[in-house]
């Protein structure tokens, strides 16, 4: 049991020093912000509300786009 505690401390220290997960979170936040901006921009261009814009996109994807 005594040898497990130092190994866990080393593992926790390596995990805390690693920053590779932070890059994934940053990219996810960038994608989310860009997606929201596109949704706002496209709904503003169509002149309709958000739910009407979603309905129009759904109609276009199912093949009955006008």
């Amino acid at each position: 049991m005594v040898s497990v505690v130092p190994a866990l401390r080393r593992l926790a220290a390596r995990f805390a020093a690693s920053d590779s997960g932070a890059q994934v979170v940053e990219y996810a936040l960038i994608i989310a912000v860009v997606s929201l901006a596109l949704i706002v921009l496209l709904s503003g261009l169509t002149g309709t509300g958000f739910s009407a814009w979603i309905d129009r996109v759904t109609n276009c994807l199912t093949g009955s786009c006008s």
Side-chain angles (χ1 to χ4, degrees):
M1 180 71 174
V2 175
S3 65
V4 173
V5 173
L8 287 175
R9 284 186 182 160
R10 285 191 304 272
L11 180 65
R14 279 195 326 237
F15 179 74
S18 174
D19 63 345
S20 62
Q23 293 174 351
V24 173
V25 172
E26 290 169 357
Y27 287 133
L29 288 173
I30 290 170
I31 291 170
V33 169
V34 169
S35 298
L36 287 174
L38 285 173
I39 288 171
V40 169
L41 177 69
L42 290 175
S43 65
L45 289 175
T46 59
T48 59
F50 181 72
S51 61
W53 183 77
I54 292 294
D55 290 338
R56 184 174 175 175
V57 170
T58 303
N59 289 337
C60 286
L61 290 175
T62 57
S64 58
C65 189
S66 58

